[in-house]
Each structure stands twice: as C-alpha cells, then as structure tokens.
Amino acid sequence: MMIRALCVTSFLGFALLCSFTAFGISAAAQTSIPHLRKTGTATQLIVGYKPFLIRGGELGNSTASSSESMAPVWEKLVRLNLNTVLVPIYWELIEPVEGKFDFALVDSLILEARKHDLKVVPLWFGSWKNSMSSYAPDWVKTNQTRFPRSVGRDGRGMEILSPFSEENLKADADAFR
C-alpha cells in the first residue's frame, strides 16, 4: 500500500477545484456543497459552511481496488492525521459489462471514509491513466473497431485509446456520470 502526503496547493487542490467548477461555484455558495469563497485577497475552500484546510494523501493506483485491500489503510490514514484522501475510481470495476454499473466499491469507500472522518476526492481512472488505457473495461479494450487506438509513427496501434473517438468519449462520459 502506498500513501503519498500532499500539500494543499497540489493535485488534490486542483481536483477539488475541478469538482467545484462542475457543481457551479455560485450555486454552491448558498448550499453546503464544497465551494471556493473569495475573501479579500484569499480564496478559501468552504466545506460544511466553514473554511477547510486539506491535510491530504493519495492512495496508490491499485490500493482501492477492493474493500478488503482498503481495510488496513483507513487507520493508517487516520494515524497520518489526514482529513482528505484522493481515491482512484476504476472504470473497469464500475462498468465491467457495458451498461451494467456496480457502485458497491465506491459506496464502500465513501462509507468507510465517513466512519474515519475523512473526505474523499475521487480520481477517475477511465480512458487514460498516465497516458495508458489500462483501466478501461475489457469490453472497450477488446473492441478496437468501435473504440480505436492511437496509432504510432510506425502505423501500429498502441495500448492507448484514441482521444478522437466519439464512441470512446461517450462511453467514458456515461460511466463517469
């Protein structure tokens, strides 16, 4: 298991910013949805109507691949005095069969985080992770006609889904949504 400590201005902050933008910052200001609030020259992250300082960590790529693998991790996160954890969410585990979604693992991660008084920032492992398409489901990986690959200079297909495929975009977006 690998946990990396992060500073507030790191990727975790960027991921939160992207999440808040998706929710609509102005609408969030009137609700308990986490949002950014400008106060003078400072911008504060507001969670539960109060300023929130992230003391965050990031799980290793496969650490959250099962509830069992996460069981010993929760107490370690607490002992590190973290309040937020960046958790990978795997497309291949959420939608192993096209159109059939299983959120049991995600639900488990959220419930355990709540039990340990931790906030969760999801990190989507969809079409690409570090440029590779390792976490796409098998039904995507095995259908290269519908989900074409990127092509190298030598003309050969790569282990990378094409970013220009409308089918890939739609399938990934449906799973993420």
Side-chain angles (χ1 to χ4, degrees):
M1 187 234 22
M2 180 160 67
I3 303 170
R4 286 176 244 147
L6 301 173
C7 68
V8 174
T9 59
S10 69
F11 179 80
L12 216 121
F14 176 74
L16 280 170
L17 177 62
C18 292
S19 297
F20 302 144
T21 302
F23 284 117
I25 293 172
S26 61
Q30 286 100 28
T31 70
S32 65
I33 294 173
H35 61 280
L36 298 175
R37 178 177 69 195
K38 188 100 168 135
T39 306
T41 59
T43 302
Q44 297 176 309
L45 171 60
I46 306 299
V47 177
Y49 302 103
K50 298 183 297 190
F52 185 79
L53 178 63
I54 295 173
R55 295 185 318 275
E58 177 181 353
L59 298 179
N61 287 353
S62 59
T63 304
S65 60
S66 72
S67 296
E68 295 77 23
S69 66
M70 279 299 296
V73 175
W74 296 110
E75 289 303 322
K76 291 178 183 179
L77 296 170
V78 170
R79 281 195 308 272
L80 286 169
N81 201 30
L82 302 179
N83 62 10
T84 307
V85 61
L86 185 67
V87 177
I89 305 296
Y90 317 89
W91 182 12
E92 65 185 343
L93 298 180
I94 287 178
E95 191 182 13
V97 175
E98 186 173 5
K100 296 194 186 308
F101 297 91
D102 180 358
F103 291 99
L105 178 58
V106 175
D107 292 342
S108 165
L109 292 167
I110 292 169
L111 289 172
E112 283 299 315
R114 286 178 180 163
K115 283 181 192 176
H116 292 87
D117 199 27
L118 293 165
K119 306 289 186 222
V120 170
V121 176
L123 175 58
W124 180 242
F125 281 14
S127 294
W128 304 280
K129 165 63 173 90
N130 294 341
S131 84
M132 301 302 286
S133 298
S134 309
Y135 294 94
D138 285 341
W139 58 270
V140 171
K141 291 179 191 175
T142 57
N143 189 341
Q144 293 189 32
T145 302
R146 182 173 166 206
F147 303 103
R149 302 297 182 269
S150 293
V151 178
R153 288 185 180 164
D154 61 1
R156 295 182 356 178
M158 304 163 80
E159 171 64 25
I160 304 166
L161 292 168
S162 171
F164 303 109
S165 167
E166 289 294 324
E167 281 291 315
N168 179 59
L169 172 65
K170 181 183 179 321
D172 192 329
D174 287 347
F176 182 79
R177 188 176 24 264

